[in-house]
Structures are given as C-alpha cells and as structure tokens.
Amino acid sequence: MIYTFNGYIPVVHETAFVHPQATVTGNVIIGRQVYIGPGAAIRGDWGQIIIEDNCNVQENCTLHMFPGTTVRLREMAHIGHGAIIHGATIGRNALIGMNAVVMDRVEIGDESIVGALSFIRADEVIPPRSLVVGNPHKIIRQVSDDMLAWKTEGTQIYMRLPGECHATLQPCEPLRELPADRPAQAAGYATWAESKNQAAAE
C-alpha cells in the first residue's frame, strides 16, 4: 500500500517491486530493481527515505527517522527480515542481518556485514568492510573477500526477485492436495557456514 503524506508522493521505479502488503508512506524514493517484502513499513512522514538501485528490504522491516532526517540505503544494501533502520545510512553492498537494529545517525560503511540481532547505538560510524555482531555491537574483524562474494551473490538473487514477482506473483486459491508432479526447487545458494565448509573440502 502506497500513501501520499503531507503533499509527498512516494517515487517507485517501474522495475522495483513493492509487495501489496508492504506500506510505503510519503517522502520515499525507491530505485531500480529494488525488492520490498510484505510487512515492511517504510515511513517517510518526518523525513526522506532514499533506497538506491538493487537494494532489498525484506519482510517486516521498518525504516523510519526523527524529524528532518534522511535515511539512505546505498546501492545493493541488503536489509534482512525484521531489521529496523532508524535514521541511519547503510553503505553500498552492506548487509544488515535479521532483526538487527541500527539507530539514529549511524553510518554503516560499504561492504560491511552486521550480524542478526545486533544493536548499533546512535552516532556510531562503522568503517567499510567491517563484520559487526552483538548487543551492544562489536567489530570483530574485516569482511574477507570470500564472505563479501557470498554476500554479493545473495543480493544478486534478490535483484532478480522484483522481475520474477512482476512476472509470476498473483493471488490464488490454495490447492487441497499436493500434486504428484510438483517440481523441487533448486538450491542454488548456500549458507555462509556451508560455503566455508565446501571451500575447505575442495
């Protein structure tokens, strides 16, 4: 659902996909091939929200701010299920893990990874390619080339999702029985732990 607020109408590129059960309000700008999942609340009522090209904001995320603030997700930012971004800037090709909270005026550096359930206090500046975990957060090391490649591959899957949703997603009635010929879905992408184990075995 997309709402005008106080004269501001959201701007959504035609290649982006905003799920009908997401809510986008006011001064919001959404770029190319962006995916916005169901239950996401993107509230540009008190300030601006800019979601650059190829980002994804997954199910039940919240993007909001104190009055007069701009929230910015730079290109290929990846916001995991249930995360909260409040008045922060997320760097290019960074990942915010599931149910993490990133507070006001935080700057997450490019290519950083913030672990699930982490809490980033207000006014923190996270350097590029930092691996961040914990509540309160700690920077535990630099993101390796292998980890960054894994993250980028996952984001590229989400970059394809808007087109797939535009082409195939539609309301339907459920089946009452499982068809015998229902095809299996391809794996195609492994967890970070599985990726490390596979690389070690090769």
Side-chain angles (χ1 to χ4, degrees):
M1 301 178 73
I2 297 179
Y3 295 96
T4 182
F5 179 82
N6 219 9
Y8 289 99
I9 299 173
V11 178
V12 179
H13 192 271
E14 62 184 4
T15 61
F17 178 80
V18 178
H19 194 280
Q21 293 173 356
T23 305
V24 177
T25 303
N27 192 6
V28 177
I29 302 168
I30 296 176
R32 294 171 173 81
Q33 291 180 269
V34 170
Y35 173 79
I36 307 295
I42 302 175
R43 270 180 60 200
D45 47 4
W46 298 342
Q48 186 177 56
I49 299 174
I50 301 171
I51 302 176
E52 295 183 5
D53 298 347
N54 302 317
C55 291
N56 65 82
V57 179
Q58 298 173 17
E59 292 70 27
N60 301 315
C61 291
T62 300
L63 275 59
H64 196 235
M65 75 296 287
F66 278 112
T69 303
T70 295
V71 175
R72 184 183 292 270
L73 308 185
R74 299 198 184 277
E75 184 178 5
M76 292 181 69
H78 187 116
I79 313 300
H81 312 288
I84 298 172
I85 310 298
H86 200 274
T89 296
I90 310 301
R92 184 188 182 281
N93 204 19
L95 183 151
I96 307 300
M98 293 181 281
N99 288 307
V101 177
V102 183
M103 291 299 292
D104 302 279
R105 298 173 301 280
V106 168
E107 296 182 17
I108 302 291
D110 293 350
E111 301 180 336
S112 291
I113 295 178
V114 176
L117 296 170
S118 297
F119 178 76
I120 314 288
R121 296 166 293 209
D123 299 308
E124 295 285 340
V125 177
I126 305 299
R129 288 191 78 158
S130 296
L131 180 59
V132 183
V133 298
N135 180 358
H137 82 277
K138 293 182 180 178
I139 299 172
I140 59 171
R141 62 176 179 270
Q142 287 285 287
V143 173
S144 68
D145 291 344
D146 288 344
M147 182 177 278
L148 182 61
W150 169 81
K151 181 273 170 197
T152 301
E153 183 182 357
T155 300
Q156 288 169 342
I157 293 171
Y158 269 96
M159 287 162 55
R160 295 192 293 270
L161 187 56
E164 293 172 352
C165 288
H166 282 302
T168 69
L169 186 71
Q170 55 186 317
C172 67
E173 291 295 322
L175 300 173
R176 302 307 178 192
E177 295 182 4
L178 182 64
D181 60 349
R182 191 179 184 100
Q185 291 173 288
Y189 185 67
T191 66
W192 172 238
E194 290 168 341
S195 297
K196 285 194 301 181
N197 292 339
Q198 182 179 0
E202 291 176 349

